[in-house]
Amino acid sequence: MKLTDLRGILQYIPQFREKTFILAIDGAIVTDDNFATLMLDVALLWSLNIRVVLVHGASAQIKSLAEHHQVKASDLDGAGVTDATTLDLALTAANRLTHEILEGLSANDLRAAYANVIVAHPVGILQGVNHLFTGKVERVDADLLHSLLAQGVVPVIPPLGFDGDGKTYRVNSDGVALAVAEQLKAIKLIFVTAQDGLIYRGTLIPQMLVGELGRLIQQDAGGFAPEMISKAQHATAACAAGIPRVHVINGTLDEGLLGEVFSNHGLGTLIYANEYEHIRPAKKKDVRAIQLLTKQAVEAEELMKRSRGVIEKSLGDYFIFEIDKNPVACVALHVYPEENQGELACLYVSSSHENQGVGRKLIQFVENKARELGLRELLALSTQAFTYFQSKGGFVEGTPDDLPPPRREKYEQSGRRSKVLVKKLG
Ligand SMILES: CC(C)(COP(=O)(O)OP(=O)(O)OC[C@H]1O[C@@H](n2cnc3c(N)ncnc32)[C@H](O)[C@@H]1OP(=O)(O)O)[C@@H](O)C(=O)NCCC(=O)NCCS
């Protein structure tokens, strides 16, 4: 690990300190080789004063127990009908898993406790079908959770609930995680699964605004794998209930959890309730940010030096790429109306966010703007990133003759001898 990675992590600490994360772990992950690393990562989060609550599922274990005993489970994930045999399997599987999690946490010197906090009632009869021992979360005993957390104890919650008469019901672990996250006003709900994240029609969704995910589920739920649709639905519900960030990660990957939590672009899926990254027009207060952002590139002669006055004069041409309200990149589009050409300029991505597609997003953004304006051609001048514009932006090498006359004059005067790149927009 590099020291600069540590700096990257440190920027998140004030944001996360004393806040609550809910980790909803699929049963299959508990028996995975990476489980010990995952528990170590939980210990690391605790050491940073992040309160972590663990909720777990049990469907993989119910399935194998049913096979072992040669009985048929009426349902695996607590969403369908739970008959008496399946409840029995669920109790055995869940107790075993809770125990394994407690073991994993104590191996990392964490104090942990089985938290009996889910008050449930039977789902009852739906469309004429009695769901028997399948329960619905009625209430979460938040007081008990708060007192455990205050004493530095990690609560571990199985997918089981009790009613007032002490009867046990099998509840869906995604539903438990959502209810707990809502009650504790968690800032993150993280589904730890055996998949890379939410995959829609074969492609991983790296990040998505909740409204967009809601639309996808409504219009094409079949585009998600059946075992992931519940995660997608609960992610949507969680954001609607005020949880700002929901992650779906692969718990079998070494850096799955930390990579997702301590980076603006993790390996899994992030569903966010509000604008997380966006491109916006620069404001006067951004002039300094633009200068600070581009300072290094100016020194390395990658970008032309621009004074405060020069930026202010054409401030309307500049755009800022923000991640969680931090400016991490910038770009400008200068328009030459007479020649019907545009120049993409001052493209810079801060080194902490390089190689994550931000540059490409900004090129695409400027290109879209240029098309909206009906420009015929987009130009870019670059000394050290010309192959980038060619391979990632679809530009081709041009000559200074392609530049509009006023720009050509400045080009000759600067002596920078940048390469001229052109993209026809027709
Ligand atoms: C060039 C720059 C904008 C790329 O931004 P970015 O967000 O890191 O790039 P993306 O994530 O969109 O693309 C990354 C890809 O581009 C390649 N790339 C990055 N910089 C490159 C360069 N200078 N030349 C050629 N390829 C480059 C990476 O190797 C990576 O390739 P891969 O996807 O095949 O692995 C950024 O490195 C930068 O700000 N450079 C300094 C300023 C500059 O030169 N600006 C252009 C002049 S206007």
Side-chain angles (χ1 to χ4, degrees):
M1 178 171 147
K2 291 184 288 179
L3 281 175
T4 43
D5 292 343
L6 191 58
R7 263 187 227 137
I9 289 179
L10 285 177
Q11 68 168 330
Y12 291 94
I13 307 302
Q15 218 174 309
F16 294 163
R17 192 181 294 132
E18 311 281 320
K19 299 288 194 303
T20 307
F21 288 6
I22 310 299
L23 239 63
I25 307 176
D26 278 357
I29 298 302
V30 182
T31 45
D32 188 83
D33 289 348
N34 197 47
F35 180 66
T37 312
L38 190 67
M39 292 300 99
L40 182 64
D41 293 350
V42 170
L44 188 134
L45 296 178
W46 266 91
S47 75
L48 297 172
N49 272 328
I50 298 168
R51 300 158 155 226
V52 184
V53 175
L54 301 183
V55 174
H56 69 84
S59 53
Q61 282 73 12
I62 296 176
K63 188 165 178 257
S64 53
L65 268 181
E67 279 162 12
H68 181 74
H69 293 296
Q70 297 182 334
V71 291
K72 192 175 171 337
S74 56
D75 166 68
L76 293 177
D77 62 9
V81 176
T82 305
D83 59 16
T85 311
T86 309
L87 179 66
D88 208 34
L89 296 175
L91 278 167
T92 310
N95 288 335
R96 173 85 214 156
L97 284 168
T98 304
H99 185 80
E100 281 182 38
I101 294 175
L102 294 175
E103 271 181 359
L105 293 169
S106 21
N108 288 291
D109 294 331
L110 284 175
R111 291 162 70 216
Y114 164 33
N116 171 17
V117 291
I118 302 300
V119 181
H121 62 236
V123 163
I125 300 161
L126 298 178
Q127 291 170 340
V129 180
N130 190 339
H131 280 57
L132 301 168
F133 297 102
T134 300
K136 199 153 111 185
V137 181
E138 185 179 296
R139 195 163 54 79
V140 175
D141 185 346
D143 288 346
L144 178 54
L145 287 175
H146 282 304
S147 70
L148 288 172
L149 290 166
Q151 292 175 67
V153 176
V154 185
V156 180
I157 309 173
L160 300 170
F162 299 88
D163 70 3
D165 299 332
K167 279 206 201 85
T168 309
Y169 292 94
R170 161 97 173 105
V171 285
N172 173 267
S173 62
D174 296 341
V176 171
L178 166 63
V180 172
E182 203 178 338
Q183 270 299 313
L184 296 185
K185 298 194 171 37
I187 63 158
K188 277 188 194 297
L189 167 57
I190 305 170
F191 289 109
V192 186
T193 71
Q195 314 254 346
D196 284 340
L198 284 182
I199 296 167
Y200 176 72
R201 299 234 159 260
T203 309
L204 177 78
I205 301 174
Q207 66 238 5
M208 191 174 266
L209 198 56
V210 60
E212 224 173 300
L213 178 64
R215 262 192 304 281
L216 273 189
I217 298 172
Q218 223 175 28
Q219 289 165 4
D220 186 22
F224 293 93
E227 68 275 18
M228 295 310 271
I229 191 75
S230 162
K231 311 288 177 208
Q233 284 163 337
H234 284 89
T236 317
C239 288
I243 317 301
R245 306 271 181 269
V246 181
H247 303 258
V248 184
I249 64 165
N250 186 340
T252 69
L253 296 180
D254 183 27
E255 291 196 346
L257 178 61
L258 296 188
E260 186 72 23
V261 170
F262 297 114
S263 117
N264 284 318
H265 292 274
L267 298 171
T269 297
L270 166 65
I271 303 302
Y272 51 103
N274 50 16
E275 232 18 274
Y276 151 80
E277 64 167 45
H278 78 147
I279 303 170
R280 60 163 177 82
K283 299 179 201 142
K284 198 150 180 207
K285 69 167 174 57
D286 296 314
V287 176
R288 201 174 141 66
I290 295 171
Q291 284 190 305
L292 278 177
L293 260 176
T294 54
K295 190 168 173 271
Q296 247 185 343
V298 170
E299 281 163 8
E301 290 187 38
E302 289 168 320
L303 287 182
M304 191 177 81
K305 190 168 166 60
R306 292 164 172 86
S307 69
R308 194 180 169 91
V310 164
I311 301 175
E312 272 179 2
K313 227 171 105 192
S314 53
L315 192 61
D317 292 356
Y318 285 81
F319 298 89
I320 304 285
F321 188 104
E322 275 187 343
I323 290 187
D324 265 352
K325 300 213 172 357
N326 300 318
V328 299
C330 58
V331 73
L333 170 63
H334 303 308
V335 177
Y336 300 92
E338 280 177 29
E339 293 78 13
N340 215 11
Q341 287 171 302
E343 179 190 348
L344 183 157
C346 199
L347 173 65
Y348 181 77
V349 179
S350 80
S351 54
S352 58
H353 291 84
E354 266 177 9
N355 293 323
Q356 293 166 6
V358 176
R360 263 172 284 198
K361 282 186 192 163
L362 282 171
I363 294 181
Q364 192 58 54
F365 174 83
V366 164
E367 195 179 314
N368 291 347
K369 274 241 153 311
R371 283 183 200 278
E372 273 168 32
L373 295 170
L375 303 180
R376 71 178 166 88
E377 205 167 71
L378 196 57
L379 304 160
L381 276 81
S382 177
T383 54
Q384 292 165 46
F386 45 89
T387 54
Y388 174 76
F389 282 104
Q390 287 168 317
S391 61
K392 313 293 175 202
F395 283 72
V396 294
E397 192 168 343
T399 71
D401 290 337
D402 291 306
L403 299 173
R407 184 67 183 94
R408 165 106 205 221
E409 207 174 299
K410 258 175 55 196
Y411 175 88
E412 303 294 351
Q413 281 165 6
S414 79
R416 281 169 55 81
R417 307 192 55 204
S418 314
K419 289 215 188 213
V420 177
L421 297 135
V422 185
K423 183 159 186 181
K424 300 239 180 285
L425 302 178

